[in-house]
Amino acid sequence: MSVRVRRVYEPPEPGDGVRVLVDRLWPRGLSKDAARVDEWPKGLTPSNELRRWYHAGEGSYEEFARRYEAELTAPEAAELLDGVRELTGKGPVTLLTAAKAPQESHAAVLLRLLG
């Protein structure tokens, strides 16, 4: 099982496998052709409230990760996470995000849960 996180703005690579956009909003200035996104499970992303809370600098990454993991136990999110987990059994999966610091984003939480 090979799962990795990359910025969606980086050019696609042959080893990316299935490219899964894990952001709720489409990345600014990026065409769908250039992004080469295979899956876009919007319901797998953090809630707007949690995203705003974290980006406002009101809490630590660790607290954000804890809250996001709690959100992922909701039925729709859990089902989508299972769907991505199934993809990892078939070959490489690349989680794509527009986050400037993917290592401290929701994508890193997903990577840990899928790895």
Side-chain angles (χ1 to χ4, degrees), residues 40-100:
W40 189 14
K42 294 178 192 176
L44 190 59
T45 62
S47 66
N48 287 330
E49 296 79 18
L50 180 58
R51 189 173 46 81
R52 287 182 187 127
W53 173 85
Y54 182 54
H55 291 296
E58 296 180 21
S60 67
Y61 173 72
E62 291 76 19
E63 179 64 16
F64 165 78
R66 188 188 66 72
R67 291 181 183 194
Y68 179 43
E69 283 186 46
E71 288 186 354
L72 290 172
T73 63
E76 179 189 2
E79 185 177 326
L80 291 169
L81 184 60
D82 286 343
V84 174
R85 192 173 281 120
E86 286 178 23
L87 292 173
T88 66
K90 299 174 184 174
V93 172
T94 299
L95 305 177
L96 301 169
T97 182
K100 291 180 183 175

